[in-house]
Amino acid sequence: MSQNIRNIAIIAHVDHGKTTLVDKIIHASKIFSEHQHFDDLILDNNDLERERGITIVSKNVSVRYKDVKINIIDTPGHADFGGEVERVLKMADGVLLLVDAFEGAMPQTRFVLSKAISLGLKPIVVVNKVDKENCRPDEVHEQVFDLMFNLGATEDQLDFVTLYGSSKQGWMSTDWQQKTEDITPLLDAIVNVIPAAPTLDGTPQMQITSLDYSSFVGRIAIGRVHRGTLTEGEAISLCKRDGTIKKMRIKEIHVFEGLGKVKVPSVSSGEICALTGIEGFEIGDTIADAEMPEALARISIDEPTMNMLFTINNSPFFGKEGKFVTSRHLRDRLYKEIEKNLALRVEETDKEDTFLVYGRGILHLSVLIETMRREGYEIQVGQPQVIFKDIDGQRHEPIEHLVVDVPEESSGKVIELVTQRKGELSIMEPKGDLQHLEFNIPARGLIGLRNNVLTATAGEAIMNHRFISYEPHKGPIPGRINGSLISLETGPGTAYSIDKLQDRGVFFVDPGEEVYAGQVIGEHSRGNDITINIQKGKQLTNMRASGSDNNVKIVPKKQFSLEEAMEYIQKDELLEVTPKSIRMRKIYLDENDRKRYEKRDEE
């Protein structure tokens, strides 16, 4: 029985228009009339994804076109969410590679594309945003061909179909100078070029590649049926990571239809489905025949490159803003996260309330922290640390490929900033009216670099990076040059004292804001830390001032985003994250304790 199913993953660099294109495909297939409310993956990270304009969790939707069912998997573009991409590509038979007509193939396009090519998936290239000024579709097409060739694509993969268009305006065409009415040329290409999902007979096999959660039925296993047929109520075996096999029964089977799911009695190989009634599964487990179970090869995920210390909030302000503040809450939440976030690892430390969390990069970890604070958790995190490895008795560290597009007049400053942090310039070429720079830089050097580059280029630099490999340690890298301004007392700061101390540095708090002793309230203009009192008010007397008081003029405080604050803190500092605030603090709040530990470290 041949099924008319095409499974296709959409891959692209961040902000090249993947999710917009999926929207247009959904509109084109007119499924909104039967639009129903449903519990699915999109709801989990909705606010965060909308605010940042990025995809964090892959989504499944399906459309019908000319009697063919097209299952579309929208994937994240950031290398930090590579774990998501690596596992969902297992469900696809082809990929839609989306490339910006001006920017061309970017580093993270390369990362995801290399995974797709190694899995032997058939690509269709879409050069998007050809309506932009100074776009260069033909050059970009050549660039994509070279990239695929360099990644070792087969002749069949190199013989790809290219479409040009604008997903925002909702049209696609085989010639970028000829605008069409809609995106049907793209749907035709998917039906004609992407191979139909193969039907394999035999005992059932399905690998769980992602999961969903519903408050009614619990955890839902999602994957593509690799072989055979799965039937509602059927007994199956669950093959686990450690080789154990558990017997279970499928309760219900759902397939993706439009934006929702539809219950079906059975599902055969090649289709993507969601199963309920399976308990205690992990991503990568295989659902197999009850009598003769055969496990599929597990999904291999690249190693994490960074770790951070997570601990409960023990600052003087703990428990004022969050609902979940105990170590039990923190432990349960982190272990729940690693069930669905494959690239994340959690390790316990010798302290019961402290955990080491390993991730792919700053963004990967910050999305977890941001999600937790929105759920009502109060936590403290330490400075992000890069993971070193000993290879043949020599210390190795992760090296990243950094790409910066910057106006020509600022390129010298960027090269200087990156080379200070042991970055090596490999490519420098003009790209439109921008200068295109490529470096290889230790992952440690990236921490805090974005802030400095954006400051030096007046916010005009576009930075992207991806992990390449582990290389021998490159030696010390200079960190933050300026020390911290630390609060001496607890209480609201006064405008009078902040005004008097403005020459000492830049403040992170406004007058009237509650601070506690040991909190980092600003950046010192010099290299050392100093403790200051911002609670002091003006001495009032009954004498009239000769002349008049000077009006207080205070520079607005410096605001940090979560990622910026994570990159800013030093080794002896923590970041306190609650649902309402982000505060930086010293690990030891008392000044005498800090001095004692400093002395001990020096000895």
Side-chain angles (χ1 to χ4, degrees), residues 432-471:
D433 51 356
L434 296 175
Q435 199 73 19
H436 177 77
L437 310 170
E438 294 192 17
F439 304 88
N440 288 344
I441 180 173
R444 304 175 282 146
L446 286 170
I447 298 175
L449 178 67
R450 187 179 297 268
N451 283 354
N452 298 352
V453 168
L454 289 176
T455 308
T457 61
E460 291 202 4
I462 303 164
M463 283 176 64
N464 292 292
H465 56 87
R466 65 181 176 86
F467 169 70
I468 323 173
S469 62
Y470 271 86
E471 288 180 21

Side-chain angles (χ1 to χ4, degrees), residues 59-129:
K59 323 263 187 323
N60 295 61
V61 292
S62 85
V63 297
R64 290 195 178 270
Y65 177 72
K66 289 187 177 171
D67 298 331
V68 176
K69 180 177 181 185
I70 304 172
N71 283 320
I72 303 167
I73 307 156
D74 183 14
T75 65
H78 274 278
D80 277 23
F81 305 116
E84 277 287 315
V85 180
E86 284 161 27
R87 65 175 203 223
V88 297
L89 285 179
K90 285 273 213 170
M91 295 198 273
D93 294 304
V95 291
L96 212 57
L97 173 66
L98 209 64
V99 191
D100 186 301
F102 170 68
E103 289 186 353
M106 298 289 277
Q108 276 144 6
T109 317
R110 186 190 177 104
F111 169 80
V112 185
L113 187 59
S114 64
K115 300 283 175 200
I117 282 176
S118 61
L119 285 169
L121 303 179
K122 177 84 178 167
I124 290 178
V125 175
V126 177
V127 179
N128 192 23
K129 306 191 183 180

Side-chain angles (χ1 to χ4, degrees), residues 9-22 25 74-75 77 95-101 103-106 108-110 112-113 123-129 140 144 147-148 161-168 171-172 186:
I10 296 199
I11 59 176
H13 182 75
V14 182
D15 220 18
H16 279 195
K18 294 186 294 295
T19 309
T20 314
L21 183 62
V22 176
I25 293 175
D74 183 14
T75 65
V95 291
L96 212 57
L97 173 66
L98 209 64
V99 191
D100 186 301
E103 289 186 353
M106 298 289 277
Q108 276 144 6
T109 317
R110 186 190 177 104
V112 185
L113 187 59
I124 290 178
V125 175
V126 177
V127 179
N128 192 23
K129 306 191 183 180
V140 168
V144 172
L147 175 61
M148 286 201 191
V161 171
T162 307
L163 290 147
Y164 303 89
S166 160
S167 44
K168 196 174 182 184
W171 65 272
M172 287 287 153
L186 173 64

Side-chain angles (χ1 to χ4, degrees), residues 534-594:
I534 60 163
Q535 283 82 8
K536 221 168 22 188
K538 187 179 176 192
Q539 295 299 316
L540 300 177
T541 68
N542 57 1
M543 296 286 286
R544 291 285 299 276
S546 58
S548 69
D549 278 352
N550 294 335
N551 282 339
V552 174
K553 289 193 181 70
I554 291 179
V555 180
K557 71 173 181 181
K558 184 175 177 182
Q559 288 274 20
F560 284 91
S561 71
L562 178 60
E563 275 110 72
E564 287 168 348
M566 284 161 66
E567 292 188 340
Y568 183 82
I569 56 174
Q570 301 277 44
K571 268 203 172 85
D572 62 340
E573 293 169 354
L574 290 173
L575 192 63
E576 178 189 347
V577 184
T578 72
K580 291 183 187 159
S581 21
I582 296 173
R583 302 184 190 95
M584 298 177 218
R585 52 160 286 185
K586 289 291 178 186
I587 293 177
Y588 302 108
L589 296 177
D590 183 65
E591 194 177 1
N592 296 325
D593 288 347
R594 283 199 295 277

